[in-house]
Amino acid sequence: MSDSTYTPPKVWTWDQESGGRFAKINRPVSGATHDKALPVGEHPLQLYSLATPNGVKVTVMLEELLAAGHADAEYDAWTIDIGEGDQFGSGFVAVNPNSKIPALVDRSTTPETHLFESGSILVHLAEKFGAFLPESGSARTETFNWLFWQMGSAPFLGGGFGHFYAYAPEKYEYPINRYTMEVKRQLDVLDKQLGRSAFLAGDDYTIADIANWPWYGGLVLGQLYDAGEFLQVEEYENLRRWAETIRARPAVERGRIVNKTFGDENRQLRERHSAADIDAVLKRN
Amino acid sequence: MSDSTYTPPKVWTWDQESGGRFAKINRPVSGATHDKALPVGEHPLQLYSLATPNGVKVTVMLEELLAAGHADAEYDAWTIDIGEGDQFGSGFVAVNPNSKIPALVDRSTTPETHLFESGSILVHLAEKFGAFLPESGSARTETFNWLFWQMGSAPFLGGGFGHFYAYAPEKYEYPINRYTMEVKRQLDVLDKQLGRSAFLAGDDYTIADIANWPWYGGLVLGQLYDAGEFLQVEEYENLRRWAETIRARPAVERGRIVNKTFGDENRQLRERHSAADIDAVLKRN
């Protein structure tokens, strides 16, 4: 395909053959494609997710809350297999009309609370338990600054760089250059910030760190897209220090396992209903 | 350029000639490029912005607060000319190390509060004035759901679709198809939600609407990228109703003018220091 001769039509139409690796799960319409109820466990919090970076944010948050002594943060985690189209089931769509993981149902309220978007879930849990989100002052402001920064930036990393570098059906030079430049700029932004303070919003670990770590920590630790050398991630020394510090937290090690159905078989856990489910995985080695 | 023969190098390097319309303002590093202090006016709130969709969110919010009687929401608005590199001045970078508009300084606190990311600014203003963000319950949750939805979705509209459809140096078929499909899906998600309720988070107008309107309202009203026919935006009837309802709000009409230095010359206002500055523009017609 020579892109330079392309002229867009007046009206776009859907070619169901295009789209690369994710062609089957990307659609130009929303809504349910089939009837399927969501499973419900015994805990007040029901998580429907997958251990992608956006999913890991929430399982790490829940494990951090449990580690901090918030017993009411006990949860059931169910895998939404996006390759199989689980996100288009009627039950899931009723919770998240956007058909993306993660989604959370908080059954402790009447009526139950439906949450989608990892940022919204993190804010809800932080407010519910009074943890990892400072209540006032510049620490609160900085937490929201860097939390929203992640939300607006990571689409250029995941949906942009990751797609064109790793997943698109062909290697297209212009998009790869475009998104690589932006991702390197983002890494530099974080690296400079983490040269000024231990964590993104200051001295304390917050939901801003929890949101950013699976994406930018994963990237600098060489766990995303096999792109460490291409991006020269070792240049970002403050970011690496932060990424390693967070990776060493027991709750992070636990959260990364939940809803993991790919990668290292010894670190997979399709459903999580109690701490013992994770303990059993950690014993495998 | 035939993209199909491209093989990415082992290590990416910066070609300063590439990048299309925004080549001069996209860089793979962050930080200030020159010394330049920010101007400061008399009000507690100092906004440094531009009337792009992300900038308009904040000026609409400020005008809505003023219209609702919150006199302490008076503000000075200064234009950051991103084509001239103002976002790389040392004063701006000190407020927003990410070098993107909008940025806000709240001088009513000691020390002054630095805010960046439109979502963080909206949350700060909503909490400061107790407006447009419900304090509890499902209305609050839904507001955050749709606020964060906008943050994670619009990069596919602006940085994805808008870039490849309108701004890239050539028309590339694969990225245009990829982002068009996603934008149409997003429009459908909003349209279905707005078939269930008057506003995104329920019966009331919130910061979720304020955040989404400049992007998705602008698109469905034919004001972004000249893409109305291509995307068949007239299909999304609930979204259009919502977009028109919000466009008709006086505070929205006022907010859209602030920091506008492009488009209709009769609707431009480089700096805003009082209501009279906007009144004078509205009188022009």
Side-chain angles (χ1 to χ4, degrees), chain A residues 12 127 140 159 163 174 178, chain B residues 127 140 159 163 174 177-178:
Chain A
W12 183 81
E127 292 188 335
R140 180 179 184 84
H163 181 80
Y174 178 84
R178 166 174 166 75
Chain B
E127 292 189 334
R140 181 179 183 84
H163 181 81
Y174 178 84
N177 273 328
R178 166 175 167 74

